[in-house]
Amino acid sequence: MKIPFKDAFITDNSNECDKGALFVKCAQNSRFAEEAQKKGAKIISLSECKELLGVDKKLQIIGITGTNGKTTTAAIIAHLLNALGFKSALCGTRGAFIGEQIIGEKGLTTAPILQTLDYLALASKAGCKFFVMEVSSHALVQKRIESLQFVAKIFTNLTQDHLDFHKDLAHYQAAKESFFTDETLKFINADSVQIAYNPKNALSYGIKHSADYSASEFDLNSGIKATLNFKGEKVMINSPLVGLFNLYNLLCACACINELVRPNLSALQKAISTFKGVSGRVEEVAERAIVDFAHTPDGIEKVLEALPNKKLIVVLGAGGDRDKTKRPLMAKAAKKFAHKLIITSDNPRSENPNDIIADILSGISQDESVFVEVDRKKAIEKALTMQKDDEFVVILGKGDENYQEIKGVKYPFSDKDAVREITTNLKKDK
């Protein structure tokens, strides 16, 4: 990328370099530094880049990693900080934001380091005190957070994902663990698969096991009502979010906030009640029609079990060119809760959608409750058309994505828009 600077520009791409350009050298591009220099670029370090861009050294960075929950936990933390008077920026799967202002479009969960430094510079200029970011396992392996100093680090959970990249669960876990080797303040989920971490400045949160921060006396029947135990202090919360998984997200976020800013607890309670959720995460986009981003076996199970006592019509696909071993497991998780299950395409990428669907179906027995429709929009239409008054349609995998990637092309497509269009047409036909 190019960032304008005075009468030149800063770049991390040697192909963009010419005389006078500033090439920021990092772990990912160091082998191209000589090429950049030959083209007349000046080589600068990441620390020099931060100084040139005006990144505030006092800007406090909070990093969140884990298989599931990163996006919602990051959004909760940013919301709570802003509500408590601490201006904050946020970046991750959904893009980058300062409050409601979008400063970066959707891309990688964790951007290349120069892009992140640009976000940090914009946050600094806006007077932000905190910068909340999702940290992916890919980014940890590829050193995309090089040079960043964190004030707090969070581990949400660990279940199967990204084995196309990491090859096996052990390497995936090792990638996550690499984030927690230093003495930074850290928050570890006591109820998840246990990971290795530096115990210095480590705090735990959990519900099933003893932890520094815990939740008790909770009611998940309508939203979330719970008592959070803050090292001897009790905080009653009432949130419109749904599901046990979101109670973990709230607990973790509140633990982090409490340690960093020691808020007035009544103000914290109020701030929690005003967080309405994240677009595309268990979002009811039409009456009894829900869209969610869940695309792992564990994520699917947690979302569907958060909708108890409901007959569910589940629409499910799996991404192409990604971990194939999770596909049958995703189907098993969905069928466990689904009254009816429709298997379809997600982002097939370079793969044949029918091959992906065959992998998904290999995990379950095909009975009269299982349907196949390759075309995703038609699958959504099938679910909404067959829906009865006592059934909820749950469309999994893409959340608020606005494209479908097929053979290298990203075609405009939104589950949310499809649901709204189809439900509107169905009402007209009645």
Side-chain angles (χ1 to χ4, degrees):
M1 68 170 293
K2 284 185 179 181
I3 301 175
F5 181 75
K6 295 184 178 178
D7 55 353
F9 60 88
I10 300 172
T11 181
D12 55 0
N13 185 345
S14 61
N15 291 326
E16 296 175 343
C17 288
D18 56 23
K19 189 174 181 180
L22 301 173
F23 178 81
V24 58
K25 183 179 175 182
C26 61
Q28 277 199 294
N29 69 7
S30 59
R31 66 187 183 279
F32 300 110
E34 186 177 347
E35 178 187 336
Q37 200 165 27
K38 286 179 180 177
K39 290 181 176 180
K42 178 184 178 183
I43 310 301
I44 61 171
S45 67
L46 288 167
S47 59
E48 289 173 312
C49 183
K50 288 179 190 176
E51 192 169 335
L52 293 173
L53 292 176
V55 175
D56 186 353
K57 292 179 181 179
K58 294 180 181 178
L59 183 60
Q60 299 182 72
I61 306 174
I62 300 169
I64 304 160
T65 197
T67 306
N68 297 310
K70 296 187 295 295
T71 299
T72 300
T73 301
I76 294 170
I77 291 173
H79 173 86
L80 296 181
L81 285 169
N82 281 310
L84 293 166
F86 300 92
K87 191 170 185 179
S88 301
L90 168 70
C91 76
T93 305
R94 297 177 55 246
F97 307 84
I98 297 175
E100 297 299 317
Q101 178 193 0
I102 299 173
I103 60 171
E105 298 296 331
K106 293 178 185 177
L108 298 173
T109 296
T110 309
I113 186 61
L114 181 56
Q115 180 72 75
T116 299
L117 293 186
D118 189 39
Y119 294 154
L120 289 167
L122 292 171
S124 299
K125 289 169 187 170
C128 291
K129 302 298 181 186
F130 288 93
F131 186 88
V132 189
M133 66 180 292
E134 299 178 49
V135 179
S136 70
S137 56
H138 291 68
L140 290 166
V141 171
Q142 295 170 350
K143 299 183 179 178
R144 276 188 252 142
I145 58 167
E146 182 185 5
S147 84
L148 300 185
Q149 299 296 315
F150 293 84
V151 69
K153 297 179 176 182
I154 291 168
F155 169 66
T156 60
N157 50 59
L158 182 75
T159 59
Q160 182 177 330
D161 201 10
H162 305 306
L163 299 194
D164 55 302
F165 178 80
H166 296 287
K167 305 308 177 189
D168 57 45
L169 196 57
H171 283 90
Y172 179 41
Q173 180 167 334
K176 297 294 188 188
E177 290 173 340
S178 70
F179 192 46
F180 300 101
T181 57
D182 60 19
E183 297 184 357
T184 301
L185 175 66
K186 53 189 79 72
F187 299 88
I188 306 295
N189 184 346
D191 296 342
S192 174
V193 170
Q194 289 305 291
I195 63 167
Y197 59 89
N198 187 333
K200 186 74 178 289
N201 296 319
L203 294 170
S204 59
Y205 68 96
I207 298 170
K208 299 173 185 175
H209 296 90
S210 177
D212 297 300
Y213 286 85
S214 62
S216 60
E217 302 168 20
F218 54 88
D219 179 356
L220 306 176
N221 288 321
S222 179
I224 297 173
K225 298 178 181 66
T227 300
L228 304 188
N229 304 299
F230 281 23
K231 295 178 169 179
E233 290 189 273
K234 292 185 180 297
V235 183
M236 303 290 293
I237 65 165
N238 191 340
S239 166
L241 302 184
V242 300
L244 183 63
F245 67 97
N246 269 324
L247 177 54
Y248 277 98
N249 294 337
L250 286 164
L251 175 60
C252 172
C254 289
C256 182
I257 296 290
N258 191 56
E259 290 293 326
L260 292 179
V261 303
R262 300 294 179 189
N264 175 284
L265 295 184
S266 62
L268 179 64
Q269 287 173 309
K270 183 178 179 182
I272 291 168
S273 69
T274 60
F275 181 74
K276 306 301 182 185
V278 177
S279 175
R281 269 63 174 179
V282 198
E283 181 181 3
E284 190 167 0
V285 295
E287 187 178 359
R288 294 177 293 109
I290 292 167
V291 166
D292 190 82
F293 188 64
H295 58 279
T296 68
D298 182 67
I300 289 167
E301 183 159 342
K302 283 182 166 56
V303 166
L304 297 182
E305 72 181 3
L307 303 166
N309 307 316
K310 293 179 173 66
K311 289 184 178 179
L312 304 179
I313 302 175
V314 178
V315 179
L316 172 71
D321 303 333
R322 299 293 185 268
D323 180 6
K324 294 183 180 183
T325 65
K326 72 177 181 179
R327 293 171 184 173
L329 301 177
M330 291 165 65
K332 284 181 181 178
K335 197 167 190 297
K336 179 179 175 181
F337 296 93
H339 176 55
K340 297 167 187 168
L341 178 60
I342 303 174
I343 307 300
T344 188
S345 295
D346 190 299
N347 292 315
R349 300 185 176 91
S350 71
E351 287 193 66
N352 184 321
N354 289 301
D355 293 340
I356 298 172
I357 288 171
D359 286 342
I360 296 170
L361 290 171
S362 70
I364 56 175
S365 57
Q366 277 189 264
D367 53 35
E368 66 279 359
S369 69
V370 179
F371 305 85
V372 174
E373 173 50 69
V374 179
D375 185 290
R376 190 171 180 90
K377 186 171 183 180
K378 288 181 180 178
I380 293 170
E381 184 174 23
K382 184 177 184 68
L384 293 168
T385 302
M386 70 166 59
Q387 181 183 22
K388 296 177 182 176
D389 289 343
D390 62 344
E391 293 176 325
F392 274 69
V393 171
V394 184
I395 303 158
L396 298 173
K398 291 175 63 62
D400 63 347
E401 284 184 353
N402 57 8
Y403 64 87
Q404 187 174 31
E405 186 175 346
I406 304 170
K407 299 296 183 184
V409 179
K410 289 186 175 181
Y411 296 93
F413 184 85
S414 162
D415 284 353
K416 294 165 65 171
D417 289 347
V419 169
R420 289 166 180 151
E421 177 190 332
I422 293 163
T423 53
T424 298
N425 291 336
L426 288 174
K427 286 176 183 177
K428 288 179 182 176
D429 293 339
K430 285 185 177 179

